[in-house]
Amino acid sequence: QVQLVESGGGLVQAGGSLRLSCSASGSVFVINVMGWFRQAPGKERELVADITRGGSLNYADSVKGRFTISRDNFKSTVYLQMNSLKPEDTGVYYCRMTTLIGNHYWGKGTLVTVSS
């Protein structure tokens, strides 16, 4: 079994910051891509940011300059530092890790609520 354990979600005021963490446990293979997705009520799930094993970065336009993704390969952990949070950032944030052969593992999601 492989399980992704997320932490760091919660309630924060607009302009504040949160740091999300996601760690893989169990029989974990080498992870190629780690990423964060989010889903707001009534909207489709969207990619927030991801990072490859080689360090390539990808951010949604809506979070560029505010969010930073990073990873620790030895710990099989991905982080999302979220600064200058806006109410529109509210949603359930999901962690996803993809192995070298293309298998995806998803976290259960953690709720981020940004109040005005």
Side-chain angles (χ1 to χ4, degrees):
Q1 289 184 314
V2 175
Q3 184 175 5
L4 303 185
V5 181
E6 300 160 314
S7 63
L11 175 65
V12 66
Q13 294 184 4
S17 299
L18 286 173
R19 189 181 74 147
L20 305 182
S21 300
C22 175
S23 296
S25 62
S27 300
V28 182
F29 291 88
V30 176
I31 303 298
N32 185 36
V33 185
M34 299 182 181
W36 291 94
F37 294 73
R38 70 185 180 189
Q39 187 168 21
K43 299 183 65 177
E44 288 191 16
R45 186 177 301 185
E46 64 175 347
L47 174 68
V48 177
D50 62 24
I51 181 170
T52 69
R53 183 174 177 83
S56 297
L57 302 171
N58 183 38
Y59 293 96
D61 288 340
S62 60
V63 307
K64 287 182 179 178
R66 299 188 298 119
F67 291 9
T68 303
I69 189 170
S70 60
R71 64 186 285 171
D72 185 331
N73 292 330
F74 291 104
K75 295 182 178 179
S76 297
T77 300
V78 62
Y79 306 93
L80 185 68
Q81 179 66 46
M82 305 186 293
N83 298 325
S84 301
L85 283 162
K86 304 174 181 179
E88 51 262 44
D89 294 319
T90 294
V92 179
Y93 283 68
Y94 299 90
C95 173
R96 188 183 77 173
M97 298 189 184
T98 305
T99 68
L100 289 172
I101 61 173
N103 294 328
H104 299 297
Y105 298 93
W106 288 89
K108 296 180 180 179
T110 183
L111 179 63
V112 173
T113 303
V114 184
S115 65
S116 60

